[in-house]
Amino acid sequence: MSDLFEIIQTTRAMRRLKPDPVPDELIRKILEMGVCAANGANTQRWRFLVIKDPKIKQQVQVHYKRAFDEVIGPRYLTATPPPGVTRERYLRQHAAVEYLTDHFHEAPVWIIACLDEGRQTPTRGSGASIYPAVQNMLLAARALGLGSTLTTRHLLYEKEVEAILGLPPGVHSYAILPIGYPMGRFGPVGRAPLAEIVYQDRWEQPYPGLQ
C-alpha cells in the first residue's frame, strides 16, 4: 500500500471512470474505512446506500445534468480559476466535470453518504458526522486504485433525487461518490500555497511556522 501522505497528496477528483465492474470486496473495504471516521458524539448516524441499479442511476442523472446545464456549467465558464490552478488546467477540469455529467450513470457503483437525523433539523455541524467518512472513503478508493469524486450537485434537486433513492423520512443525503477504475492517472492536487491561507492569532497575520 502506498504511503499515507502520498495517497492524500494524489487523491484527485477522478471524473472519468471506466464502466467496468468493481468487485464487492473493494466496495466493502471502502465502506469499512468510512466507518472508521470521526463523527459527532460517536452516534454513528451515518447510513450508506450502495447503488448499482442502472435505472436508478439514470433517473438521478437527469437531475444531475439539469443542475449542470442551469447552474454548474455557466458558473465554470465565468469563474476565476481557484488558487494553485492555471486557466488551462481549470478548463480541463471543466471538461472533466462535463464528462462526468454526461456519464454519471455509467459509473459502476455509487455510494450515497447519508445521515439519519430523525426529527432533528440539520445544522452547520451536521456535516461533521458524515464528511470525515466521505474523505476516508475517497482515500481508501485511491489506495485501492479506484477513482471517485465528492459530488453534492444532486442537492440542487434534493427532494426529487431523494425520492428516486427512496430515502425514508429523517434521512438526508450529503454526497454521492461515483466509484470506478479511472481512465486517467492519479497525480498531485493543485492547491494554493499555505502562506496565502494560514494565519496565526489574528486574521491575515502570517504564521511564521511556514518560513
Side-chain angles (χ1 to χ4, degrees):
M1 182 180 294
S2 300
D3 176 81
L4 173 62
F5 292 102
E6 178 188 354
I7 289 173
I8 292 173
Q9 291 174 328
T10 58
T11 301
R12 285 178 173 173
M14 303 300 279
R15 299 182 175 95
R16 292 185 172 94
L17 303 174
K18 299 176 183 179
D20 305 18
V22 175
D24 283 329
E25 56 264 32
L26 299 187
I27 298 300
R28 177 176 177 174
K29 177 61 68 175
I30 292 170
L31 292 165
E32 288 174 342
M33 296 303 99
V35 298
C36 289
N39 64 103
N42 196 30
T43 54
Q44 302 180 48
R45 293 181 292 112
W46 45 42
R47 300 293 182 270
F48 303 98
L49 182 61
V50 177
I51 301 290
K52 294 187 179 184
D53 189 326
K55 293 182 179 178
I56 296 175
K57 290 188 287 185
Q58 287 167 2
Q59 291 178 64
V60 172
Q61 196 268 346
V62 170
H63 297 285
Y64 198 74
K65 187 176 189 314
R66 180 183 171 192
F68 177 85
D69 293 340
E70 295 179 355
V71 180
I72 307 301
R75 180 188 300 166
Y76 260 96
L77 294 177
T78 58
T80 301
V85 178
T86 64
R87 185 69 188 176
E88 179 184 9
R89 185 170 179 179
Y90 188 61
L91 292 176
R92 290 201 304 268
Q93 179 178 318
H94 176 266
V97 169
E98 189 167 13
Y99 181 93
L100 176 63
T101 298
D102 294 335
H103 299 271
F104 193 50
H105 58 293
E106 297 173 5
V109 181
W110 291 358
I111 295 178
I112 316 293
C114 306
L115 277 180
D116 184 353
E117 301 179 90
R119 297 185 179 182
Q120 298 180 28
T121 300
T123 68
R124 287 177 63 188
S126 299
S129 289
I130 189 63
Y131 288 123
V134 169
Q135 180 66 5
N136 271 18
M137 291 190 290
L138 291 172
L139 295 174
R142 165 69 184 92
L144 294 169
L146 293 166
S148 188
T149 185
L150 191 172
T151 180
T152 59
R153 190 195 310 173
H154 70 288
L155 296 179
L156 291 172
Y157 299 101
E158 180 179 6
K159 291 183 179 180
E160 294 88 341
V161 170
E162 292 187 349
I164 293 169
L165 297 174
L167 301 186
V171 175
H172 298 286
S173 62
Y174 278 74
I176 298 179
L177 277 64
I179 297 174
Y181 292 100
M183 294 183 183
R185 298 180 179 179
F186 295 104
V189 299
R191 298 293 187 269
L194 289 179
E196 295 182 9
I197 58 174
V198 180
Y199 316 127
Q200 179 173 311
D201 297 329
R202 286 187 291 276
W203 195 256
E204 295 188 345
Q205 178 170 289
Y207 169 48
L210 299 177
Q211 298 177 359

